[in-house]
Structure formats: C-alpha cells, structure tokens
Amino acid sequence: MKVLRLFGLVLLLTICWSTGSALAGWEGEGSIDLGYTFLDQVGNRSASPETYDVYDDLGISLRGIRLRSTNGYQLNADFSNINLENRSFNARLRRPGRMNLSGFFRKTRRVYDFEGTTRTYRTRGGLDLTVMPYRTVKLSGGYSRAGLDGNILPTLGLFNGFREGVSGSPEEIQTDYSLDAYYFGAQFRLQKTVLGVRYRGTALTDNLDAKQDRSGRHLQITVFSPLPGYERLTMDGLFSTGWNRVDDRDNKRKETLFRGGGAWSLTDDWSLTSTLRFSRTDNEATGIETDNAVGNLFALRQFAHRAEAGVGYEFRSQDDLVSRTEANAFILRGMYRPLERLRLRGQVAFYNKEDNDKTTLVGDEDVIRHRFEVRYDHPDGHRLTIRYRDRRRDFEDIGAEADYQSVTSVLSIKVPRFGTGTGSYAYSKGDYRNTSSEFAFEQHVLTAQMSSVRFHHAQLSAGLTYLRSRLSSDLEKILFTVGADVVLRRGYSVGLKYQAHTYDDFVAFNRYYTANVFTVNVQKTVQF
C-alpha cells in the first residue's frame, strides 16, 4: 500500500508538471528528484542533531524550478521531500519593479531521549507580498505561523512551567502551541526621502492550556532623509508603540520606542554616525515603568582605501522603581592593507555596567573583547584567513568570571584541473568560575571539504569534520561524507552519497551514537 501511494503521488506530480508546461507564454526548466535514504543507527538518538531529520524512506522532490513568462513574470521554486515529515519548500513569483510574492515552509524534528520516542516537531511557514502600484509607492503584507508539538524532557531545562505528566510519563512535558503573526505596511518615496508605516499583530495559542494564550499589536513609523541643502548629512528616525498581553488575565505590557540617528560625511575621509534611543515599558500588572536609554557616537577615518581607524562610545541606562543601572562602552577598530591582497583587521571593546542601587541579580559587570583577523587572497583564487577572538566577563559582586578564547584558520584552494578544496582548524577554550563551582573546556575542530571537476560526466566530493572537547566535558564527534554525481543521457543524473556519524561522550554513560546513512538519488531535468 505504501508503494502504491508513492507511485500515485509521482504520477500525479508528473501529470501536473506536464500540464503546467503546456501553459502558453511560460518557459524554463526544473527537475524531478527521487531519493531513497538507508539509515542504520545505534545508540542515543538525541546525541546527533545532524540525523534528527533523516528518515529511512523514499523522498520525492521538485528542484530548481525556474520559469519565465513573456509578460515579465519569473517563478523560482524548490520543493524538498514533499511526502516526508522533513518536507520543505521555497517559492517566489516576481515581476521586477511591480510585484513580489514569496512563500516558504519547513518541518523539522528534534529527539530528546535514547530510543528516539520522545520528540517534537517544529513547523514554520509564511507568505509575503509586495506590490508597487507606482514607482514611489510600495505596499506590503504578510502572514507567518510557527508551531511546536510533541513531548520533551524537563531535565534539559526547556520550557519550564508547561504541564507535566500529560503524555503518560512523569518525566515528559507535553507541548502543543502555535505562533501566528501578520503585518501590512506602506512605503512612500519623495526624491531622497523615504517614509514607512508598518502594523504588526501576533497571537500565541496554547492548544493544551488557554490560560497561556498571548497576543500583541505594534505600530511602527520610520523616516529617512538627507538634510535639505546639505547632502552629506542623512537623518533617520523611528517611532514604535504597541502592547503585549496574556489574554486570560488581560494585563497589558505597553511598549513605546523612539529612535533617532544620523550619518555625517565631514569629508571624503572623515565620517560620523550617531544614534539616540529611548524606550519605556509599562507593566499594568505590577504598575512598574521601566525606562531604557541608549546613545552612541562613532567616528571613522579612512586613508586612501588602504587603511581606516575608528573610535566609538556608547552609554546605556535602565531605570525603574526598584533599580537603576548605567553602562559605558568604548570601541576601537582598525584596518590596514600593507599589500593589495593582504588585509589586517582588529577591534577592541570595553564595557562596564554599574548597579547603582545594588538590587539586580548579577550586580556590576565588566566585559573586554578583542577580535583580530588576517586575510590573504592569492591571484589564483586561493584564500587564507586567520581569526583570533577573546572575551572576558567579570561579575565582581557575585564572584563570577567567564573567559573565552578562540583561534580559527581557514584555507580555500582552487585548482582548475582538479577542483576546489576548503580546510579549517579551530581551537577554543573557555572557563567559567563562581564561588561554588567551575566549568572549563578545551575544544579542537578540524574540517575538510573537496569537490572535483566534472570528468567524463562524473563529479566526486568528500568531507570530514572532527571535534574533540576535553576538561570538564570529554567528548568526540566525527562526520565523514563521500559522494558522486553522474550525468546520464536525456536529462537524467544519478547521485550517490554516504555519511558516517560517530559521537562518544566519555563522561555520560549513555551518550554514544553511530549511524551510517546512504542515499541514492535519480534526477530528471525537464525543459518547458
């Protein structure tokens, strides 16, 4: 019966495709893809996110649909595994300068237990429409929905407060909710001035407990314009107002936001940018109003496109009836090209937050960040990039510290006679300490990918990812991939792909996993 249903679906798709190709005024191409995946797995199903959405089954896909009409319309679409639980699609119908209609859908799975029986399914989909009745007017609207249903394990610390025991097991939490959102707006252009208006509504529906339902409405107005008589100075502004509430208690949280900014090109080499933002949140249930204010200024100096240097400052303030915090941040940024194909970049940032009333949970906070990058582009298309990053956070009032450092190198190689290859190595370490405990890790990640040129209608590819983490955590993860694609006659092609997954956690006794995934694809290209 299962085979008959799949055969009927393939036949229906072929008939629809043939009928669509007969429509006058359209031409293009696309392909029908039939792929069977063989999955052999042993161990903890929740240990490998890469195989959450792998199904041992036949998948039907329509890929690379590209249609063009004689009156200027263009249709691009991809439908993947339309008969399986991991189905997805993206489609876009557009006429340049007049309209754009796009839609998407994706369904994914997550596994939470050893056997793979405790799982959730997440769906996301939406439609967006933009039309331009006039060159200076753009109207837009859209709708989207995100949903999650299934069972999760509370030991993961997710979704605290949801109902327990409904699924029949005291260790599981059942969840079933959807988030709907819609918007519509307009944008008007008068010479170089742009005015935008946008209204957005949201509704969270809990299908297991109506008391958890929430809704919100927001209105946003934006404006962008150069200063009349002085084109080097551009101004932008934003005003937003709205509310969110729990429907059962009908207590609203009102939100208002003002933002203004500007960019000033003093000369061809000097520029200034600044932003001021103020927001107020009014919680009707508690009667507390919270004010947030942010102001920043950044100056940039360029030196004949071979170097640049910038300095910035930001001030933050948060105030309510209980506590007040203030923060100051400084940033230094630079770029230098000693050679045409060699680029050096660096950035240093300092952040300090003071809890004036000593009423927040973490108190004062100090943060220091460094980021440096070296990139070299070879004339033959090779590229070498080396990055260094570190971050240190210090919460003196509660005796907590967090340190993180990482070094990453990426090498890309192009050899016209053979193919392309990319390899990377990343080393990172981190340490978190407080008055009662400490967690530290040291991690190595090695990746390599290669793709050959097509030789006698065949193309080969291979990839490897190796991860090793030590200290407080002790785990090893390997992913190996090899594949081949062969182009046959009359628009047919065959693809073969093999993946090997291994995961071993040497601390947790049941966190191990091994999987072999083999996929065979047969593809037929169709011309319209």
Side-chain angles (χ1 to χ4, degrees), residues 384-437:
L384 174 63
T385 305
I386 301 176
R387 301 186 184 95
Y388 170 80
R389 296 184 180 182
D390 70 63
R391 179 175 65 251
R392 177 182 177 87
R393 302 181 68 184
D394 186 4
F395 302 91
E396 184 177 355
D397 292 342
I398 60 175
E401 295 179 354
D403 295 317
Y404 174 80
Q405 298 89 34
S406 69
V407 179
T408 304
S409 59
V410 182
L411 176 62
S412 300
I413 298 177
K414 294 182 179 180
V415 182
R417 294 181 56 187
F418 296 98
T420 61
T422 302
S424 68
Y425 170 74
Y427 170 77
S428 60
K429 65 177 182 178
D431 187 12
Y432 173 80
R433 301 175 297 277
N434 58 29
T435 56
S436 61
S437 61

Side-chain angles (χ1 to χ4, degrees), residues 132-190:
M132 296 183 65
Y134 306 99
R135 293 182 58 186
T136 58
V137 179
K138 181 186 294 185
L139 306 177
S140 61
Y143 169 79
S144 64
R145 164 171 281 201
L148 182 71
D149 69 273
N151 300 325
I152 64 177
L153 294 178
T155 54
L156 296 179
L158 303 176
F159 302 101
N160 291 330
F162 278 69
R163 295 141 308 281
E164 297 189 19
V166 181
S167 62
S169 171
E171 297 183 354
E172 295 182 0
I173 299 175
Q174 186 177 3
T175 181
D176 184 3
Y177 71 85
S178 61
L179 175 63
D180 296 271
Y182 65 89
Y183 76 93
F184 54 86
Q187 187 181 90
F188 308 92
R189 181 183 295 272
L190 179 61

